[in-house]
Amino acid sequence: MGLNKKIGVSIWVVLHALLLIIGISVPWNVESDLYSVLPDSDELHHVSAAEKVLSARSIRNISVLVGHENFSIAKASAEALFASFEKDESFDEIRLHVDENAMQENRDFLFENRYVLQGSPVREMLKSGDVETLKNEALQKVYGAFSLADLNRLEQDPLLLGEQSFEYFTLNSPLMGGKFTLKEGVLTATDSANGLLESPVNYVMWSAVLSEKTPSMASKGHVLSRLDKALDSLQQVYPGLKVAKSGVPFHSYESSGNAQSEIAWISGISMALIILLLLLAFKTVFPLVATVLSITVAAATALAGTWAIFGSIHIFTFVFGTSVIGVSIDYAIHFFTSWKNGVKDVRRHIFKGLLLGFMTTELSYIALTFAEFPLLRQMAVFSLIGLASSFATITLLFPVISQPRRQGGLPALVPQKVLKVYERFPAGRYLRQILGGVFVVALLPGLYLLNVHTDMRALYSMSDELKAAEILNARLNNLGISANYFIVEGDSPEEVLQREESLALQLASAQTDSLLSGFLATSSFLPSVKTQKETWTAVQQLAPSVQSFVSELGIVSDSAFKASLATEPAYLTPESRFPSSTKSLLNMLWIGEVNGKFYSAVLPLHVSLKFDAAALTQDLPKVYAVNKMANINATLTKLSHVSLLLVAVAYVIVFLVLVLVYRIRQAVRIIRAPVLACLFLAAVFGYAGIDFNFFAIVGVILTLGIGIDYALFFKEGGRRNLVTTLAVMLSACTTLISFGSLAFSSFVPVATFGLATLLGIICCFILSPFSGE
């Protein structure tokens, strides 16, 4: 390659400067939520935006149960916690104290709206004109010995419709099924599940909503870290104090913190080993410094370019982008191996193999940009730009900053021993074919057993502390919200509520069949305006019958009752003013307007194994059954298949390119090493019964990208070339150290990625020398 060095450096500087300037000009935004960037499944295609709004809202909720045998100590501890974070900007809301008047506030609200807000039993009696049943229930509340009804408004409400509504929506609400009760202004529950030998523990609930600006990943000074320190201090002040944390943020914080700490530790050891290896090989720091420069520039350029194109970058892109580090090291090692051995024009010597390796790797990443997965596209673009930068640095900058001179050569003892192993390998053509066939046949059962599936639940193992806390919370709250729920869509709030009411009829029937214990829906406490009007009309029609009932209650005049019917009531909508407790429930269920449409969520409670959410929606238009975790697993599994197909297509193109350059026989020899390596790692996963998930497929892509380089360098340098062998050995060692060590991580996604890469690169290195024949 006869490119003028000054022109080459100028091109390198201009390209990198442009990318860095463009990247810096875009506002920085790092995303860490995997759910928000997942592509839509078929089931969620129509309501994906609404579902993401709902998820983003719900995953910011946390709760902490502070418990002690002495209720006063538990309450004091919870109040101290409240005071510590009351003004913390990391929280949008903190809840501890419950207004003693909240129950009365609900009662007053439901009395004022008694002619439009009624539960389905009373509503049906009103519509059917069953005034006798209503009268009898009112008499029982008035004269019953154990009645808790408020009789102060009897003249205005002789049928006690306000009390009927209060009982239905408040006292008999599914939210009242837990063990928590109001005591001294806080929600408290007593747990005696620790056994007869231990005293019951009184738990006080402290809950909060994290701000949208609060990161989900662990970081220095994170509010959850400060919360842990505050809880530790309280436990030191009050011996015997028990703490139970619950909520997605705690799990995200714990897993990301453990992963960061572990990966930092592994990476530190890996980097030290790589530095030691390169120093032993080259016996000078210059190649090491230049290699680090190449990696740094490639990563910075990839970051800037990706930022400029997408406007943000996801944390998982950095994990996938480690392929840039692996290939950058490989390119630099091949350059400096030749440089160390006194090759006068290193660029010309390695350019063909380097170019073909670069092109074939880039083709793999280009193929991934066609996947309907924004995150995968971002990962591919990051790698595309980073590898292009690395290739430019090696071919344009390195020839200028490194003057070719003989340095005494590189250690050849190990490569010679490796080559002797291959020289002793059976030379007979047919024998080799038989051995190759046996190897392939041995892979087939493993490939048959392979399960291409991603289960997010299997990728995270919560600590014993968090697991016990979640169990305690579930037992005390006893809410039992199902993983299967519904999203209802409409062109207006009224349309959503009417469709909810149709769904509620189906759920009530399923409840009768013991398929669920109940459900939470906006329409359960806020009926549609249509239903409210029907209730009001039914009350008016019964009014004459009620007026004659007034005297039975000992009321002198029915004027107050008549006055209450004189004016049509104001009909309620999701925008109306509600009591604080009702507003909290509305915020949980009513999604609101998203992209010009309106949405709400309906949550089944304590469902049985026979409950089929999808079957209930078959005859209900614009009502969608959702199972978030199942949808995520299905989507990632589908993407795994698509990614493998795209990479396969890319390698067909790579093969055709190699055929044009080397002809078909040599092309087969080159491509067989990385392809067989990928089949080998897949077969090992199959034999071991490990799910071949999305993160394992990332390892496959990395194996193909790096493995093709090994094969190409052996083809260009020859199998018996000591310099080529040493260069590939050093490249493989650095890759195995940097990525293979991740296989020992306790963080399952990282370990899966590392294991796949470890198996693939080992097999690639073993098979690639046969490409040089």
Side-chain angles (χ1 to χ4, degrees):
M1 182 179 176
L3 181 66
N4 182 278
K5 291 183 178 180
K6 290 184 178 180
I7 295 176
V9 172
S10 299
I11 293 172
W12 184 90
V13 171
V14 169
L15 290 176
H16 284 81
L18 282 174
L19 274 174
L20 291 172
I21 291 171
I22 293 172
I24 293 173
S25 65
V26 178
W28 286 35
N29 179 31
V30 178
E31 298 178 15
S32 59
D33 179 16
L34 178 61
Y35 297 160
S36 66
V37 295
L38 285 174
D40 304 328
S41 63
D42 296 336
E43 295 82 355
L44 291 179
H45 179 70
H46 299 289
V47 293
S48 61
E51 193 281 328
K52 287 175 182 176
V53 170
L54 179 66
S55 295
R57 190 184 298 169
S58 61
I59 64 175
R60 294 187 288 117
N61 293 305
I62 64 172
S63 68
V64 178
L65 300 182
V66 184
H68 197 274
E69 295 176 8
N70 187 324
F71 168 76
S72 298
I73 293 178
K75 182 185 176 185
S77 301
E79 288 177 333
L81 196 64
F82 180 84
S84 298
F85 294 94
E86 184 178 7
K87 297 181 180 179
D88 198 306
E89 295 182 354
S90 298
F91 294 109
D92 281 344
E93 182 182 358
I94 296 178
R95 298 181 291 263
L96 173 63
H97 300 100
V98 179
D99 188 355
E100 297 280 3
N101 299 318
M103 200 72 79
Q104 188 61 43
E105 182 186 15
N106 271 359
R107 183 175 250 134
D108 292 342
F109 172 80
L110 292 169
F111 171 79
E112 291 170 7
N113 295 280
R114 64 193 180 280
Y115 294 145
V116 293
L117 294 184
Q118 286 296 334
S120 54
V122 172
R123 198 161 57 233
E124 291 304 316
M125 284 188 281
L126 289 170
K127 288 181 181 180
S128 64
D130 187 7
V131 68
E132 289 303 318
T133 302
L134 289 169
K135 287 179 180 180
N136 291 333
E137 290 189 3
L139 288 171
Q140 185 179 3
K141 285 182 173 61
V142 172
Y143 298 112
F146 302 102
S147 175
L148 299 176
D150 183 357
L151 304 180
N152 294 324
R153 297 160 173 160
L154 193 58
E155 292 184 358
Q156 297 170 274
D157 185 19
L159 288 180
L160 292 179
L161 293 178
E163 289 300 306
Q164 292 275 22
S165 183
F166 178 72
E167 288 183 6
Y168 183 85
F169 292 114
T170 304
L171 299 182
N172 298 325
S173 168
L175 295 175
M176 301 295 287
K179 294 184 178 181
F180 284 95
T181 57
L182 187 61
K183 181 178 180 180
E184 296 184 16
V186 296
L187 287 175
T188 181
T190 301
D191 180 54
S192 56
N194 295 318
L196 298 176
L197 298 179
E198 295 187 25
S199 300
V201 178
N202 300 287
Y203 285 100
V204 174
M205 178 180 287
W206 177 97
S207 59
V209 180
L210 289 173
S211 166
E212 292 183 2
K213 298 179 181 179
T214 303
S216 58
M217 299 191 68
S219 59
K220 187 177 181 180
H222 195 284
V223 65
L224 296 186
S225 174
R226 291 185 278 116
L227 180 61
D228 283 339
K229 290 180 180 178
L231 291 170
D232 289 341
S233 298
L234 287 171
Q235 287 179 309
Q236 291 178 4
V237 173
Y238 300 108
L241 188 71
K242 298 182 183 297
V243 172
K245 300 177 293 186
S246 175
V248 173
F250 286 119
H251 297 273
S252 300
Y253 178 81
E254 181 183 75
S255 60
S256 62
N258 292 340
Q260 288 177 34
S261 174
E262 192 175 71
I263 291 173
W265 180 76
I266 292 174
S267 299
I269 294 178
S270 300
M271 187 56 66
L273 291 175
I274 290 173
I275 291 172
L276 180 62
L277 179 65
L278 294 180
L279 286 175
L280 288 174
F282 295 111
K283 294 184 174 63
T284 175
V285 297
F286 176 69
L288 178 61
V289 173
T291 300
V292 172
L293 170 67
S294 172
I295 294 171
T296 304
V297 171
T301 307
L303 178 62
T306 306
W307 224 302
I309 294 171
F310 293 94
S312 64
I313 193 163
H314 198 277
I315 197 71
F316 271 96
T317 299
F318 291 107
V319 177
F320 186 86
T322 50
S323 60
V324 173
I325 299 174
V327 178
S328 294
I329 291 177
D330 290 354
Y331 288 175
I333 285 174
H334 282 284
F335 181 92
F336 285 111
T337 303
S338 297
W339 172 82
K340 184 70 176 178
N341 277 274
V343 176
K344 291 183 178 180
D345 191 346
V346 178
R347 179 167 61 193
R348 183 183 296 274
H349 179 71
I350 67 171
F351 185 75
K352 183 178 178 181
L354 209 64
L355 177 62
L356 286 171
F358 167 70
M359 289 174 58
T360 53
T361 304
E362 292 285 81
L363 280 171
S364 299
Y365 292 127
I366 289 172
L368 293 179
T369 61
F370 290 95
E372 292 294 327
F373 186 8
L375 178 57
L376 195 58
R377 287 176 179 169
Q378 189 181 101
M379 291 173 171
V381 168
F382 185 95
S383 298
L384 280 166
I385 297 173
L387 293 184
S389 170
S390 180
F391 178 78
T393 300
I394 303 299
T395 56
L396 300 178
L397 188 62
F398 275 18
V400 176
I401 66 174
S402 58
Q403 297 299 320
R405 61 184 186 275
R406 187 171 298 278
Q407 300 285 340
L410 289 165
L413 180 60
V414 176
Q416 286 176 348
K417 290 184 175 294
V418 171
L419 289 181
K420 284 182 179 179
V421 173
Y422 285 91
E423 288 173 358
R424 293 169 183 168
F425 196 81
R429 176 182 175 185
Y430 293 110
L431 183 56
R432 287 193 178 191
Q433 290 178 347
I434 292 172
L435 292 174
V438 170
F439 176 71
V440 172
V441 169
L443 299 180
L444 295 179
L447 295 174
Y448 177 77
L449 295 171
L450 189 66
N451 182 27
V452 181
H453 176 68
T454 299
D455 186 351
M456 293 296 290
R457 289 167 296 189
L459 299 178
Y460 168 61
S461 177
M462 70 177 74
S463 66
D464 292 339
E465 179 185 355
L466 278 180
K467 185 184 295 184
E470 293 292 1
I471 293 173
L472 176 64
N473 267 273
R475 185 171 68 248
L476 296 183
N477 282 291
N478 195 33
L479 197 54
I481 294 178
S482 169
N484 295 281
Y485 62 96
F486 304 90
I487 290 182
V488 183
E489 176 188 336
D491 293 325
S492 65
E494 175 65 10
E495 191 172 61
V496 172
L497 290 173
Q498 289 187 25
R499 285 176 175 157
E500 259 201 26
E501 288 171 341
S502 298
L503 173 62
L505 292 175
Q506 299 274 31
L507 291 172
S509 177
Q511 186 175 354
T512 303
D513 296 334
S514 300
L515 297 179
L516 69 161
S517 67
F519 56 92
L520 297 176
T522 303
S523 60
S524 294
F525 60 91
L526 174 60
S528 65
V529 172
K530 176 186 175 184
T531 299
Q532 293 179 53
K533 286 182 176 180
E534 290 174 352
T535 305
W536 165 244
T537 301
V539 170
Q540 284 183 307
Q541 291 173 350
L542 289 182
S545 302
V546 176
Q547 289 171 8
S548 62
F549 172 63
V550 169
S551 60
E552 296 182 41
L553 298 174
I555 300 173
V556 176
S557 172
D558 62 358
S559 58
F561 175 60
K562 288 180 179 179
S564 69
L565 296 169
T567 305
E568 185 175 2
Y571 298 109
L572 300 172
T573 70
E575 300 302 321
S576 301
R577 293 188 62 182
F578 293 90
S580 56
S581 58
T582 306
K583 192 67 178 176
S584 297
L585 183 58
L586 185 64
N587 289 337
M588 181 173 71
L589 300 173
W590 185 255
I591 300 173
E593 185 178 3
V594 180
N595 299 331
K597 298 282 188 179
F598 291 85
Y599 301 90
S600 70
V602 177
L603 312 178
L605 307 176
H606 293 292
V607 302
S608 72
L609 294 176
K610 296 180 180 180
F611 179 75
D612 188 346
L616 292 177
T617 65
Q618 289 179 354
D619 299 324
L620 299 176
K622 304 296 183 181
V623 177
Y624 304 92
V626 178
N627 186 317
K628 181 71 174 178
M629 189 58 65
N631 286 330
I632 290 173
N633 293 341
T635 301
L636 285 178
T637 300
K638 180 181 177 181
L639 280 169
S640 300
H641 287 96
V642 171
S643 300
L644 287 174
L645 179 61
L646 289 172
V647 173
V649 170
Y651 259 70
V652 171
I653 299 173
V654 168
F655 177 71
L656 295 176
V657 171
L658 293 176
V659 169
L660 292 176
V661 177
Y662 295 109
R663 296 188 179 181
I664 189 165
R665 178 176 293 182
Q666 292 298 330
V668 170
R669 287 178 176 173
I670 292 171
I671 207 168
R672 69 185 174 188
V675 171
L676 285 174
C678 290
L679 295 176
F680 169 75
L681 74 88
V684 172
F685 271 70
Y687 279 123
I690 304 172
D691 283 350
F692 203 59
N693 59 38
F694 177 75
F695 301 96
I697 290 170
V698 172
V700 169
I701 297 168
L702 186 62
T703 297
L704 289 170
I706 295 178
I708 193 73
D709 293 343
Y710 296 170
L712 282 166
F713 277 108
F714 270 114
K715 175 65 187 76
E716 287 299 306
R719 194 181 83 178
R720 292 174 176 80
N721 188 310
L722 288 175
V723 175
T724 300
T725 304
L726 180 59
V728 174
M729 283 182 60
L730 288 174
S731 298
C733 286
T734 54
T735 302
L736 291 174
I737 290 172
S738 57
F739 298 115
S741 58
L742 297 177
F744 301 99
S745 171
S746 61
F747 190 49
V748 180
V750 173
T752 303
F753 167 63
L755 177 62
T757 307
L758 177 69
L759 294 170
I761 296 302
I762 288 175
C763 190
C764 253
F765 174 72
I766 293 172
L767 296 178
S768 57
F770 295 110
S771 305
E773 297 179 342

